[in-house]
Amino acid sequence: MKSVKKYFPLITIILLYLVLVITLGCYKQYFYEDEVLSYTSANSQSGMYIHPDVLKWYDSSLVKNAVTAVPGHTFDFGNTLKNSFSDNHPPLYTLLIHLNSSFFPGRFSKWFGLSVNIAAGMIILILLYFLSLELFDNKFIPALAVTFSYAVSI
């Protein structure tokens, strides 16, 4: 019980962070190009980029198959790694998006990527708190102030 009291302010900051990012995530209605490319890199069986003929009509399955883990190719991390060779980012993020997408084959959700971001944010808050404690000679208030400032800076 003593350790819960000791970390109660940090837990409170993390809960505040969760409320903020989940609320903002609920209002997210559109995707930037790099976000679509992350889903495509994670799930597409035909490479990272969609190259349709601009003079031809395509149905939505072209994009849907590029951004979702299609049945039969769930948990196909080799394909995700192959797609990441044409990207300049480390593949961990797209591997985690593919993992999330694989649990829901053929479905697309903004939460597959946002959940990775949220989990990383919580880890960063915890690490930042303990790093701040070290930098401020175990002074509790400055460490919490740094962590709180980062948590609400989204």
Side-chain angles (χ1 to χ4, degrees), residues 48-111:
M48 187 170 154
Y49 301 101
I50 304 170
H51 296 289
D53 180 357
V54 294
L55 300 176
K56 185 177 174 188
W57 184 263
Y58 293 92
D59 64 359
S60 62
S61 65
L62 177 74
V63 175
K64 182 179 179 189
N65 289 338
V67 298
T68 63
V70 294
H73 291 285
T74 56
F75 303 103
D76 186 1
F77 298 106
N79 183 67
T80 303
L81 288 172
K82 181 186 73 157
N83 288 342
S84 73
F85 290 135
S86 61
D87 192 3
N88 61 349
H89 298 94
L92 180 62
Y93 182 67
T94 53
L95 288 168
L96 292 173
I97 289 177
H98 180 68
L99 176 67
N100 288 344
S101 298
S102 293
F103 288 115
F104 305 95
R107 294 188 61 203
F108 176 81
S109 173
K110 62 186 172 186
W111 296 105

